[in-house]
Every structure is written in C-alpha cells, then in structure tokens.
Amino acid sequence: LHHKYVTSNMPIEHLYIARVTDGLILVASMEHGPSSNNEKMELFKSQAKQLLKKLNPRSTSKMSIESNPYVFHYMIDQGICYLTLTEKNYPKRLAFLFLEEISKDFEQDLKAEYGDEWLRTVETVGRQYAFIKFDRVIQKKRRDYADPNSTANMKKLNDDLQSIHNIMRKTIDDVLDRGNKLDDVSEISKNLATESKKYKWGAKQLSFMALVKQWAPLVAIAVLGLIVLAIRFLW
C-alpha cells in the first residue's frame, strides 16, 4: 500500500534558477493559478530572492527551508541554484527529483544553443531573466509533478534510492533573521574531523611519553648492567 499525499491542484508554486555567485535570477517561473496573485505569494517571492542572495559557492548543495504553509527546496549544481516552493505536505523526495530533472533539462537546453560555452554564458550573462524562455519546459515539468499520487510519480518515488535524511532542514527565520550566509556545514564537519585527528595524535604522543617516563629508569639500569658485564668480560 502506498502513502496517499493530499495536495492542491498545483502544489509546486514557484521555481527560480539563479547564479550562486551573486544571486542573479536567470529564470523565474510562477504558478498561474489564483493563489499566485495574493499578497502571501508576494511574501514568498521576496523570501526566495533573499535566499538566493545569501547563497555562495560554499553553501550546502541541498536544503529544505520551512516557511509555513510552504517549504523551499533548493539544490546547487555547477554554480547554479534551482529553488522551488512547494506545499508543506508535498513529498520532499519528489521535490528534489523535480529539481534534478529541471537541472538536467536546463543544461541540455543551453548546450543545444551555446554548445560547450553554455556554462561560460551563464557565468557572464549580465541581465536578469536572461533564459526566461526555459519557462515553457518548467511549466510542463510542473504539470508532470503536480500530482504526487500519479502512477508516474509513485514509480519515481519507488525507484529513487537516494537518501534524503541527510538533507539539512531549517526554518525561514533561521536563514533570513540571523544574517548569516548559507555556508556548507560540511566545512564545519571537516574542521571538526581535523581537530579530532589532532587530538588523537596528541593523545598518542602523551601516552608514549608516559610510557617512556615509566620505563626509562629500568631501561637505563639494564643498559648500564650490560655495559658493566661487557667491560668485565672483555677485561
């Protein structure tokens, strides 16, 4: 038996594609239903833009950020951020599968137009919404992913072997109110691991020194005895 997900007709509200280095929005795609016109959606648009501005090359590659009654999910690939806003009860794994497909299609679309220079084009483009025509692809993908209970989407969830448990989860207040950049926690982990190794090496050195201190007098007496015996034997 499969879990039944309860969502609206269009649970994926927004999708943004932006450059990580400066937050420049390359594509913005909105849900064109009634909810897209209310003031609440304007708040989420503002939050999305603030989130994109806080990203940097050290940011963790995947994160979910709660902003009731929705959740922002983002992933970073090759210096490009794919950020979507979904209903809170929309399955997290499906949201990231959606972003992964968008990422692959965006790269494919740009390669078809710019060839090997596609990434260079993204890195140097100077105007916002430079690739807005990609919205046609996003709109189709959004429809494909609209119903998490569809046969196709249930199959995607069953076939997806990736673990989402290690994807960091924060609240919008955590991210926006503290004024901190979304730095990669893996850097902190690496630093902790390095310090741990230093501590272990220091502990080993202390242990060795303690052994030397304990046994040095006995070793010295034994060596001295051997020298005395050797002298007597030779003379």
Side-chain angles (χ1 to χ4, degrees), residues 169-181:
R169 196 176 187 97
K170 288 190 174 184
T171 67
I172 196 73
D173 291 336
D174 285 339
V175 175
L176 297 185
D177 288 355
R178 293 179 184 174
N180 57 326
K181 289 282 187 181

Side-chain angles (χ1 to χ4, degrees), residues 188-215:
I188 299 169
S189 299
K190 284 176 189 173
N191 290 339
L192 287 172
T194 304
E195 290 302 317
S196 177
K197 283 178 183 175
K198 285 180 184 175
Y199 173 78
K200 284 179 182 176
W201 173 243
K204 284 180 181 177
Q205 282 184 315
L206 287 172
S207 179
F208 177 72
M209 292 301 291
L211 283 172
V212 169
K213 193 174 180 180
Q214 181 182 351
W215 295 103

Side-chain angles (χ1 to χ4, degrees), residues 4-225:
K4 187 80 172 174
Y5 298 100
V6 181
T7 60
S8 68
N9 291 331
M10 194 59 73
I12 300 174
E13 292 282 351
H14 299 173
L15 185 124
Y16 300 87
I17 301 176
R19 195 163 58 199
V20 170
T21 51
D22 58 2
L24 182 77
I25 297 174
L26 307 170
V27 185
S29 180
M30 311 297 166
E31 193 272 302
H32 300 306
S35 65
S36 62
N37 297 319
N38 63 35
E39 290 180 11
K40 194 75 172 172
M41 282 298 116
E42 289 302 317
L43 169 65
F44 294 122
K45 286 180 191 176
S46 173
Q47 288 178 346
K49 289 174 182 177
Q50 289 178 71
L51 286 171
L52 292 170
K53 285 289 183 186
K54 283 183 172 289
L55 292 171
N56 64 71
R58 297 183 308 280
S59 297
T60 189
S61 61
K62 289 182 180 180
M63 187 182 288
S64 295
I65 302 163
E66 289 185 29
S67 183
N68 285 324
Y70 295 94
V71 180
F72 287 103
H73 304 281
Y74 81 72
M75 64 167 276
I76 296 173
D77 184 38
Q78 298 191 77
I80 303 168
C81 177
Y82 302 86
L83 172 71
T84 189
L85 179 73
T86 72
E87 292 180 351
K88 198 170 184 178
N89 52 357
Y90 189 80
K92 185 177 177 180
R93 273 198 302 161
L94 202 58
F96 280 103
L97 286 171
F98 169 67
L99 291 176
E100 284 168 15
E101 278 201 36
I102 293 293
S103 167
K104 288 173 187 172
D105 288 349
F106 186 59
E107 181 178 335
Q108 204 169 37
D109 203 66
L110 291 186
K111 278 181 176 176
E113 187 168 351
Y114 301 102
D116 293 339
E117 290 294 304
W118 76 273
L119 191 55
R120 172 79 177 153
T121 304
V122 169
E123 291 169 347
T124 56
V125 70
R127 61 188 173 88
Q128 287 206 93
Y129 312 114
F131 308 107
I132 196 65
K133 64 182 181 179
F134 184 70
D135 185 37
R136 74 192 188 284
V137 177
I138 296 171
Q139 293 294 344
K140 181 183 181 305
K141 286 291 177 190
R142 185 190 274 116
R143 289 192 293 273
D144 291 345
Y145 277 82
D147 180 9
N149 300 300
S150 70
T151 304
N153 286 333
M154 291 306 297
K155 185 177 187 306
K156 286 172 188 170
L157 285 171
N158 290 333
D159 291 347
D160 180 37
L161 301 176
Q162 296 180 74
S163 171
I164 59 166
H165 298 298
N166 60 347
I167 294 176
M168 190 186 295
R169 196 176 187 97
K170 288 190 174 184
T171 67
I172 196 73
D173 291 336
D174 285 339
V175 175
L176 297 185
D177 288 355
R178 293 179 184 174
N180 57 326
K181 289 282 187 181
L182 290 168
D183 286 344
D184 190 348
V185 290
S186 68
E187 289 298 317
I188 299 169
S189 299
K190 284 176 189 173
N191 290 339
L192 287 172
T194 304
E195 290 302 317
S196 177
K197 283 178 183 175
K198 285 180 184 175
Y199 173 78
K200 284 179 182 176
W201 173 243
K204 284 180 181 177
Q205 282 184 315
L206 287 172
S207 179
F208 177 72
M209 292 301 291
L211 283 172
V212 169
K213 193 174 180 180
Q214 181 182 351
W215 295 103
L218 292 174
V219 171
I221 291 168
V223 170
L224 188 60

